[in-house]
Amino acid sequence: KPGQLLMILDDSVLKDQEDDQTIKVQTATATKVKAEKDYEIAVTQNQLNIATAEFDLTTATNALNNYTGVTYDANGAALAAIGGGPPSLSEAGTFRQSVDDLTGQVRLAEAEVQQNAERSGWADRMVKLNYMSAAQAQSERSRLDSSVEKLRSLKAKLTQLLNSDRDQTLTNLVLTRDKFRLTLEKVKQEAESNLLKLPAEKQRATSEYLQTDEKLREIVQQRAECKIVAPDTIEPDSMVVYFKSES
């Protein structure tokens, strides 16, 4: 009758081939999945590396800008234009703030020295008139000497800030900014290089998987053909003759 199982051919060899090919398909599947994950991870890592490099560059650039604070002075530019001079730039960063702060301290110290000098001179006159003791006059002179030393120290700090400190700090900030600028370019180039290699590996793994899977399907199909059943169009009481072309 139609569909009746008539014969089962020996498929032991095909069974061994199927088991072996199944392992190969599993291996190819794992390789394909790994290649896909590696590509996704690389894309994410590239984005993270670039974002980190951009952040470092922005931070270094801001640090330099904050230190110098160089901006375009519109009022100064107008005066420069009238006088025939160059455009005016205004420096208002942390360096200028430090200079202004020290300059203010120097002016206060100068005023203190002047005040103490007047008191010391007055004390000396009072000693001569016997209105004040020598010890009191010495105390005023010591106060004057202390204020003079304070003024000297502040002026030295201001000079150092205007000369060596500014140049060294500015050099370090510029070098740091340039380093991170080069780092960003390098990270972008490495990201581009990685994304050129990984898609090829993913494509190779996918191609190998498809080939091994196709071969497994062929073996499974061959094993299925080892079971001989009566055709659906067979007539009752007919004879079935099995024939397989050698080609």
Side-chain angles (χ1 to χ4, degrees):
K1 63 181 182 180
Q4 180 179 353
L5 180 62
L6 303 176
M7 181 189 309
I8 299 179
L9 303 178
D10 182 14
D11 65 348
S12 58
V13 175
L14 290 174
K15 177 64 169 62
D16 292 340
Q17 292 179 359
E18 181 180 350
D19 293 342
D20 181 65
Q21 192 63 25
T22 298
I23 295 175
K24 291 181 180 180
V25 169
Q26 292 172 347
T27 302
T29 301
T31 302
K32 173 177 173 291
V33 171
K34 182 179 182 302
E36 292 171 346
K37 291 298 181 182
D38 286 346
Y39 179 78
E40 294 175 0
I41 292 173
V43 170
T44 302
Q45 188 62 50
N46 285 342
Q47 293 173 344
L48 177 61
N49 292 342
I50 292 174
T52 300
E54 288 177 340
F55 174 80
D56 290 340
L57 176 58
T58 299
T59 301
T61 302
N62 288 341
L64 176 60
N65 292 339
N66 289 338
Y67 183 73
T68 59
V70 176
T71 57
Y72 179 73
D73 187 348
N75 294 329
L79 293 175
I82 295 174
S88 178
L89 295 176
S90 174
E91 189 175 44
T94 55
F95 168 73
R96 175 49 56 188
Q97 293 173 4
S98 298
V99 170
D100 292 344
D101 179 61
L102 269 177
T103 300
Q105 292 183 48
V106 167
R107 290 173 180 171
L108 288 176
E110 289 174 340
E112 185 178 1
V113 167
Q114 182 178 357
Q115 181 181 4
N116 289 336
E118 292 175 354
R119 287 183 59 87
S120 179
W122 173 81
D124 289 340
R125 292 193 297 272
M126 293 299 102
V127 169
K128 292 178 181 179
L129 296 174
N130 294 322
Y131 291 152
M132 184 176 289
S133 67
Q136 289 175 311
Q138 180 60 41
S139 175
E140 293 296 336
R141 283 195 294 273
S142 297
R143 182 178 300 176
L144 173 60
D145 292 341
S146 177
S147 61
V148 169
E149 176 59 25
K150 177 181 178 182
L151 176 59
R152 185 202 64 78
S153 176
L154 288 173
K155 285 184 175 180
K157 288 182 179 180
L158 180 59
T159 299
Q160 182 178 7
L161 180 63
L162 290 171
N163 296 326
S164 60
D165 281 4
R166 183 183 191 279
D167 292 342
Q168 185 61 48
T169 303
L170 189 59
T171 298
N172 291 338
L173 289 172
V174 171
L175 289 176
T176 300
R177 181 204 59 188
D178 292 345
K179 181 188 73 172
F180 284 125
R181 180 178 294 166
L182 293 175
T183 298
L184 176 58
E185 292 301 320
K186 179 183 177 183
V187 167
K188 287 182 177 180
Q189 291 174 1
E190 290 176 346
E192 184 178 356
S193 176
N194 289 336
L195 292 185
L196 286 176
K197 294 183 295 185
L198 291 175
E201 177 62 24
K202 184 173 71 168
Q203 184 177 1
R204 185 199 63 77
T206 301
S207 177
E208 182 178 345
Y209 163 75
L210 292 175
Q211 291 176 7
T212 54
D213 185 65
E214 179 62 24
K215 187 172 182 180
L216 176 61
R217 292 176 184 272
E218 292 176 358
I219 295 173
V220 171
Q221 180 62 33
Q222 290 175 5
R223 287 196 64 199
E225 293 177 356
C226 290
K227 294 181 179 180
I228 310 301
V229 297
D232 294 337
T233 58
I234 192 173
E235 297 292 336
D237 300 326
S238 299
M239 179 183 295
V240 175
V241 177
Y242 176 74
F243 171 77
K244 185 171 180 63
S245 174
E246 294 296 333
S247 60

